[in-house]
Amino acid sequence: MREVIANSLWIGNARDARDVPAIMAQAIAAVVDVALEEHPAVLPRDVAYCRFPLLDGEGNSTAMIQAAIRTTASFLEAKICTLVTCGGGMSRSPSVAAMAIAQIEHIHPEEALKRIAATGPHDVSTIFWKQLIECFPT
């Protein structure tokens, strides 16, 4: 799990979504889980948990993609410390987080993705990224 925006946005993998002590230590109040292949996490009742099962490739519904991005953006706009997770923490979570940042800051999604990529390892699926861009054309 790594911090992308201080005291606001974290991205991580499926293991991070289940690491309750780490979530609580970072004062994370919301988890947005976009991993289709993982079982839902079980978190304390004071942590919001939103699951949007997305594939790291083709076949995702536009509505599900938009819901994941809008939910993440809503948490960030409300100043709720948020963790976005996927299976490996390398493609879907940084992509969804980047799109949420782009929506909030009214910047190009590529710029937001570059900012996230600068914080640590990533391996964004070009197919998945293209779907996200198609859901929110600039």
Side-chain angles (χ1 to χ4, degrees), residues 84-138:
V84 182
T85 66
C86 64
M90 302 287 280
S91 181
R92 288 166 289 179
S93 56
S95 297
V96 168
M99 290 298 291
I101 290 168
Q103 295 294 304
I104 293 167
E105 296 182 9
H106 305 288
I107 61 173
H108 195 277
E110 293 287 339
E111 181 181 335
L113 185 60
K114 285 179 186 176
R115 283 177 31 198
I116 288 176
T119 68
H122 60 284
D123 187 17
V124 173
S125 161
T126 55
I127 295 169
F128 183 67
W129 183 247
K130 182 181 175 200
Q131 286 179 68
L132 271 60
I133 296 295
E134 289 171 355
C135 289
F136 290 96
T138 55

Side-chain angles (χ1 to χ4, degrees), residues 29-122:
V31 175
V32 177
D33 181 355
V34 295
L36 171 72
E37 71 282 5
E38 302 291 341
H39 292 286
V42 178
L43 298 170
R45 64 176 126 191
D46 57 337
V47 176
Y49 179 70
C50 302
R51 184 169 183 271
F52 302 95
L54 299 175
L55 295 167
D56 196 18
E58 294 180 301
N60 295 300
S61 80
T62 298
M64 194 65 70
I65 289 171
Q66 290 174 338
I69 293 166
R70 286 183 178 133
T71 299
T72 304
S74 293
F75 284 139
L76 297 176
E77 286 179 315
K79 307 286 190 239
I80 296 171
C81 189
T82 304
L83 168 63
V84 182
T85 66
C86 64
M90 302 287 280
S91 181
R92 288 166 289 179
S93 56
S95 297
V96 168
M99 290 298 291
I101 290 168
Q103 295 294 304
I104 293 167
E105 296 182 9
H106 305 288
I107 61 173
H108 195 277
E110 293 287 339
E111 181 181 335
L113 185 60
K114 285 179 186 176
R115 283 177 31 198
I116 288 176
T119 68
H122 60 284

